[in-house]
């Protein structure tokens, strides 16, 4: 029997080689099976998959403020991350939601995230609160960082509620280094502000932290916080859309503004590209019309229902697609400048002309 094993291996290998050759010939002959015989597709966020998905075990669940839970997700040999990074959680329903990492970047055995329950949201936060319990495994993607801590002479942070999660690791780094920083931290009440005790401790030595609870003092004075900034001061903001809009409006010229937005931008005016247009799906050979009040995602999924999506608000990146032709009207705050050159989030972004061609 031992003499037959090499022959068996040769026969099996030969059969596999012939099958692969037959498959390539079939694809070359038929442009519709299984997809047009074009170059290797890179649509659907290949650029974003810089780190592989992995399954982590939930080993800790702590209530850190009213309506806010913190989860500890353990695994072996996890990639290190920099302050400002976030993790994408694939929830039990299949929804994908990003949550900022708020633990220790040097801890390669666990990631820590925190989520606020949004009662009138689209269901993601409710899944986190009701279904993600200690002992359950969850798939995660990342980490990725679109909100990095840059070098600056000084820093001002304006944060609302759960927006503190990406900022907290930054404050730890700056406090340890002796950097010049200030924080304006607002929310509905002191009980709703996550990690408040640690934050006040970090800034206690120089009165760096100003806490404004709406039930005590109304809304924070954003303009006052941004008055008299030293040259080169970097301003960071994370929180509700109206807060970020207020910071952008009040920021003096010459100061870099860094925003982290996990919800759709507010106050978008209808501009170029808001009308109807058409989208060609190059690989499937179909062209679909996109009505003035319809998203590209909705139009495309009518023809290609397998296209992945999640948030439908332009902040998770699941629906990112490569654009082969046409001028994009970007309406997200997620993609980098390099990604914007040849891709778009089809749930919110549109066309500035009459036609787009997607690598689908």
């Amino acid at each position: 029997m031992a003499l037959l094993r090499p022959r068996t291996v040769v026969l099996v290998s030969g059969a596999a080689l012939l099958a692969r050759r037959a498959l390539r010939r079939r694809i070359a002959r038929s442009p519709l099976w299984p997809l047009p015989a074009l170059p290797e597709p890179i649509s659907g966020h290949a650029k974003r998959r810089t780190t592989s998905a992995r399954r982590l075990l939930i080993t800790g669940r702590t209530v850190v403020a009213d309506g806010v839970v913190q989860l500890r997700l353990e695994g072996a040999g996890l990639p290190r991350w920099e302050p400002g990074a976030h993790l994408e959680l694939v929830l039990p329903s299949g929804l994908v939601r990003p949550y900022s990492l708020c633990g220790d970047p040097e801890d390669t055995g666990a990631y820590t995230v925190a989520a606020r329950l949004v009662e009138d949201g689209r269901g993601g936060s409710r899944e986190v609160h009701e279904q993600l319990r200690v002992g359950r495994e969850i798939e995660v993607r990342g980490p990725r960082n679109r909100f990095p801590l840059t070098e600056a002479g000084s820093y001002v942070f304006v944060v609302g509620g759960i927006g503190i999660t990406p900022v907290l690791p930054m404050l730890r780094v700056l406090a340890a280094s002796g950097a010049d920083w200030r924080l304006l931290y607002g929310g509905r009440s002191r009980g709703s502000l996550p990690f408040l005790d640690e934050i006040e401790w970090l800034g206690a030595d120089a009165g760096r932290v100003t806490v404004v609870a709406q039930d005590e003092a109304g809304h924070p004075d954003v303009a006052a916080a941004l008055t008299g900034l030293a040259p080169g001061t970097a301003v960071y903001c994370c929180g509700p859309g109206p807060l970020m809009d207020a910071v952008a409006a009040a920021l003096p010229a010459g100061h870099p503004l860094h925003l982290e937005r996990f919800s759709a931008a507010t106050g978008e005016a209808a501009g170029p590209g808001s009308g109807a247009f058409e989208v060609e799906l190059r690989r499937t050979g179909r062209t679909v019309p996109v009505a003035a009040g319809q998203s590209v995602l909705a139009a495309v999924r009518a023809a290609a229902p397998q296209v992945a999506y999640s948030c439908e608000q332009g902040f998770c990146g699941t629906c990112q697609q490569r654009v082969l032709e046409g001028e994009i009207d970007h309406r997200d705050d997620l993609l980098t400048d390099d990604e914007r050159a040849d891709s778009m989030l089809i749930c919110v972004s549109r066309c500035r002309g009459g036609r787009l061609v997607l690598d689908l």
Side-chain angles (χ1 to χ4, degrees):
M1 293 299 292
L3 295 177
L4 295 178
R5 289 177 182 171
R7 181 182 301 174
T8 302
V9 171
V10 170
L11 290 174
V12 171
S13 299
L17 178 60
L18 291 174
R20 287 196 297 269
R21 288 177 176 173
L23 179 60
R24 285 197 294 267
R25 287 195 298 270
R26 184 174 181 184
I27 292 173
R29 288 196 306 268
S30 175
L32 297 179
W33 191 94
L35 285 174
L38 297 176
E40 183 70 19
I42 63 170
S43 283
H45 37 261
K47 288 184 178 181
R48 306 181 71 251
R49 292 175 181 171
T50 55
T51 53
S52 61
R54 68 191 78 238
R55 296 193 68 82
L56 302 181
L57 179 67
I58 302 172
T59 61
R61 183 184 184 278
T62 307
V63 177
V64 294
D66 296 343
V68 179
V69 295
Q70 176 181 278
L71 301 177
R72 178 177 173 84
L73 314 173
E74 291 193 5
L78 301 179
R80 287 181 170 83
W81 51 277
E82 298 293 329
H86 70 268
L87 202 64
E88 293 178 353
L89 273 57
V90 182
L91 301 177
S93 68
L95 289 175
V96 180
R97 291 292 184 266
Y99 292 99
S100 296
L101 289 161
C102 55
D104 180 2
E106 297 302 314
D107 184 356
T108 59
Y111 290 142
T112 302
V113 298
R116 180 181 297 284
L117 176 62
V118 181
E119 295 286 356
D120 58 350
R122 301 177 62 247
S125 67
R126 185 168 296 281
E127 279 194 68
V128 172
H129 278 250
E130 295 181 355
Q131 298 188 39
L132 299 190
R133 302 290 179 176
V134 172
R136 181 164 192 164
E137 284 193 339
I138 183 171
E139 180 181 331
V140 304
R141 301 170 185 169
R144 305 179 68 234
N145 198 343
R146 296 187 181 277
F147 193 50
L149 182 64
T150 60
E151 291 189 11
S154 57
Y155 302 84
V156 170
F157 299 88
V158 181
V159 174
I162 195 63
I164 197 64
T165 50
V167 170
L168 180 56
M170 298 182 187
L171 300 183
R172 293 175 183 142
V173 169
L174 295 177
S177 68
D180 181 16
W181 62 274
R182 290 185 288 118
L183 167 67
L184 176 60
Y185 188 21
R188 296 189 305 272
S189 65
R190 294 182 68 89
S192 71
L193 298 177
F195 312 112
L196 182 57
D197 289 345
E198 180 182 357
I199 289 165
E200 289 186 320
W201 176 81
L202 287 171
D205 61 338
R208 300 182 187 277
V209 176
T210 300
V211 177
V212 179
Q214 292 178 19
D215 61 351
E216 299 172 2
H219 293 283
D221 190 342
V222 172
L226 300 178
T227 299
L229 297 181
T233 299
V235 177
Y236 282 74
C237 180
C238 186
L243 175 67
M244 290 189 282
D245 294 341
V247 170
L251 184 68
H255 295 281
L257 176 60
H258 306 269
L259 298 174
E260 177 80 312
R261 191 187 299 274
F262 282 143
S263 62
T266 60
E268 288 185 337
S274 293
F277 56 95
E278 64 180 21
V279 173
E280 177 188 338
L281 310 181
R282 178 61 55 87
R283 294 184 174 276
T284 56
R286 297 188 61 178
T287 298
V288 297
V290 182
Q294 183 183 33
S295 70
V296 177
L297 173 65
V300 167
R301 280 184 56 83
Q306 77 282 2
V307 172
Y309 71 102
S310 183
C311 76
E312 298 184 80
Q313 298 183 63
F315 61 83
C316 79
T318 304
C319 68
Q320 182 178 344
Q321 298 293 336
R322 185 186 180 212
V323 179
L324 302 177
E325 298 176 21
E327 186 178 359
I328 308 165
D329 178 13
H330 290 288
R331 300 189 177 190
D332 69 276
D333 294 301
L334 182 67
L335 299 183
T336 65
D337 289 341
D338 287 344
E339 290 172 322
R340 287 171 183 266
D342 65 355
S343 65
M344 67 185 289
L345 300 186
I346 62 173
C347 68
V348 292
S349 296
R350 299 183 67 78
C351 176
R352 289 188 178 274
R355 180 180 177 82
L356 287 174
V357 179
L358 300 183
D359 185 25
L360 271 173

